[in-house]
Amino acid sequence: MFRTLRGFLTGQEDDGDVYFAYSATLRISGEHLDFDNIRQTLRVSPTHCHRKGERKGQLAPPYAQDMWSYKPPVPGEHPLEEHINALWADIQPAKAYLLTLKETSTVDVFLGYRSNSDTAGLEIPHTCLAMFVELEIPFGLSIIIA
């Protein structure tokens, strides 16, 4: 039995265990972001930030804009709803600030779903959608099958 299309087509499946990993990250991007003000107002430290023009590595192209991001400390193997709920619990007190920040910057939530099985799915409880409705941002999910 094959768990991936790649395995079926090649006739060989990776011997590793099936895994699922999830994440939810608040991303704020734009020009001349005040990283200190964002951190102080949200009351969380960024898990990543970079300035326009910086590079991820010597051969990477320069970043096109500033970015500040925060991912709550939830283990990747925990269900996506836990990641969403933890993020919303951390940033909800600053909802008004984030709505104001949207006037000059891009504010979104990057949801990640990674697995080595391409025959799986996920379910998001309706209660997890409050953050997207209240922040007036789309619900987008990045799906990576490796």
Side-chain angles (χ1 to χ4, degrees):
M1 180 114 207
F2 297 101
R3 70 171 181 259
T4 64
L5 179 59
R6 183 181 320 127
F8 174 77
L9 293 174
T10 64
Q12 295 180 350
E13 193 69 72
D14 181 16
D15 290 334
D17 292 335
V18 174
Y19 72 87
F20 300 95
Y22 309 94
S23 65
T25 306
L26 172 69
R27 301 186 306 184
I28 302 168
S29 56
E31 301 287 325
H32 311 293
L33 294 180
D34 186 340
F35 291 164
D36 287 333
N37 187 48
I38 294 170
R39 180 186 51 76
Q40 289 173 357
T41 305
L42 293 180
R43 296 183 181 180
V44 294
S45 295
T47 49
H48 173 81
C49 57
H50 64 253
R51 292 285 180 198
K52 179 179 178 175
E54 292 179 350
R55 297 173 185 266
K56 187 174 185 175
Q58 284 185 333
L59 301 177
Y63 291 114
Q65 55 188 325
D66 297 347
M67 187 174 79
W68 186 101
S69 65
Y70 169 73
K71 182 169 69 170
V74 176
E77 65 274 7
H78 285 224
L80 184 56
E81 69 183 87
E82 287 186 34
H83 293 264
I84 294 170
N85 289 337
L87 178 60
W88 186 228
D90 288 347
I91 67 173
Q92 186 176 18
K95 173 188 160 186
Y97 170 73
L98 290 168
L99 289 170
T100 301
L101 197 56
K102 285 176 53 178
E103 295 171 9
T104 58
S105 305
T106 300
V107 176
D108 69 10
V109 172
F110 179 85
L111 298 177
Y113 168 72
R114 295 174 307 287
S115 178
N116 60 352
S117 172
D118 58 5
T119 58
L122 62 118
E123 185 174 285
I124 307 295
H126 72 279
T127 54
C128 292
L129 301 177
M131 172 173 57
F132 301 92
V133 172
E134 291 192 37
L135 292 178
E136 301 172 7
I137 58 175
F139 180 94
L141 177 61
S142 172
I143 300 172
I144 298 173
I145 307 298

